[in-house]
């Protein structure tokens, strides 16, 4: 019995040494695939765990009439290593978040006010679309193409959460038309004609 208690105490001691409650990111350090190194705990304060960046509306005066204000590791170092983050989504009337993916996280969207038509496409190409109103939530599984569109004549607001501090983002339209991927390749892979591709590249700032 004494031998068992001794071994149990060693396990507890080892666990306490290895366990870490949090890892506030040291943004001055080197970023690695596993995140940032931790800020020394002696320099961590309660202010590190509070973020006010989602309190103000984003600027929707842009081509998509939408704004996303993130609370990822770069903006909110306290989420580093905790497997969670958030963002604020503002949609002006007519606003849209084009088809996109988050390769590193599942997304949960909560509508604060307004109406938002949202949906995703599964890997079997099944389509799931709903128009959400105040209080509704919708989940978008990790890595799947999804979108949000304003369905209101007034501004809409949603708060989004992710199960990663670094969800990643790739917007399909920008990936195809906002870079220097040659138009001939875009045409071959999308079945669009040359005029359509060049028009979209012109709108989104692409070349080639």
């Amino acid at each position: 019995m004494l031998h068992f208690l001794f071994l149990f105490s060693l396990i507890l001691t080892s666990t306490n040494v290895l366990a870490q409650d949090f890892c506030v990111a040291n943004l001055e350090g080197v970023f690695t695939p596993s995140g940032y190194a931790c800020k020394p705990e002696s320099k961590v304060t309660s202010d590190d765990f509070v973020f006010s960046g989602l309190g103000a509306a984003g600027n929707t005066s842009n081509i998509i009439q939408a704004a996303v204000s993130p609370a990822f590791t770069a903006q909110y170092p306290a989420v580093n290593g905790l497997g969670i983050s958030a963002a604020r989504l503002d949609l002006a009337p007519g606003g849209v978040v084009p088809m996109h993916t988050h390769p590193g996280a599942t997304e949960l969207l909560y509508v604060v006010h307004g109406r938002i038509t949202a949906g995703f496409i599964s890997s079997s190409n099944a389509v799931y679309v709903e128009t959400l109103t105040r209080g509704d939530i919708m989940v978008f599984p990790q890595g799947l193409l999804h979108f949000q569109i304003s369905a209101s004549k007034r501004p809409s607001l949603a708060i989004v959460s992710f199960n990663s501090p670094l969800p990643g983002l790739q917007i399909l339209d920008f990936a195809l038309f906002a870079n220097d991927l040659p138009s001939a390749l875009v045409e071959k892979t999308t079945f669009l004609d040359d005029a359509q591709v060049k028009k979209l590249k012109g709108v989104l700032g692409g070349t080639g």
Side-chain angles (χ1 to χ4, degrees):
M1 183 65 179
L2 290 176
H3 179 68
F4 171 78
L5 291 174
F6 175 72
L7 289 176
F8 186 65
S9 67
L10 285 179
I11 292 172
L12 286 178
T13 301
S14 175
T15 301
N16 287 335
V17 170
L18 295 175
Q20 191 166 348
D21 295 327
F22 50 80
C23 178
V24 176
N26 177 11
L27 298 181
E28 296 178 357
V30 178
F31 175 75
T32 70
S34 59
Y36 287 92
C38 305
K39 183 178 180 179
E41 191 167 341
S42 60
K43 296 184 178 180
V44 173
T45 70
S46 58
D47 288 342
D48 287 307
F49 299 100
V50 178
F51 181 70
S52 302
L54 305 188
N59 182 6
T60 58
S61 300
N62 52 59
I63 191 171
I64 61 174
Q65 299 181 64
V68 177
S69 306
F72 303 156
T73 301
Q75 299 81 26
Y76 189 18
V79 300
N80 185 52
L82 295 183
I84 192 171
S85 62
R88 172 183 175 133
L89 170 61
D90 288 283
L91 284 171
V96 56
V97 180
M99 199 74 74
H100 64 284
T101 70
H102 300 291
T106 290
E107 173 182 341
L108 187 72
L109 179 143
Y110 168 74
V111 179
V112 179
H113 61 71
R115 288 168 57 86
I116 299 174
T117 298
F120 67 89
I121 302 171
S122 74
S123 57
S124 62
N125 291 322
V127 178
Y128 302 90
V129 179
E130 290 290 339
T131 295
L132 311 173
T133 58
R134 179 179 178 179
D136 288 342
I137 63 174
M138 186 170 185
V139 67
F140 306 93
Q142 180 175 342
L144 296 185
L145 286 166
H146 60 286
F147 63 90
Q148 291 95 22
I149 302 173
S150 169
S152 174
K153 295 181 179 180
R154 296 184 178 184
S156 296
L157 169 64
I159 297 297
V160 180
S161 63
F162 300 93
N163 64 338
S164 169
L166 297 166
L169 171 67
Q170 185 170 39
I171 299 177
L172 181 59
D173 293 344
F174 289 15
L176 290 172
F177 307 112
N179 53 35
D180 60 356
L181 183 63
S183 294
L185 294 179
V186 178
E187 292 159 23
K188 283 286 188 182
T189 57
T190 62
F191 307 107
L192 296 172
D193 63 36
D194 185 65
Q196 291 172 313
V197 170
K198 287 181 177 178
K199 177 182 178 181
L200 290 167
K201 278 181 172 282
V203 171
L204 296 176
T207 60

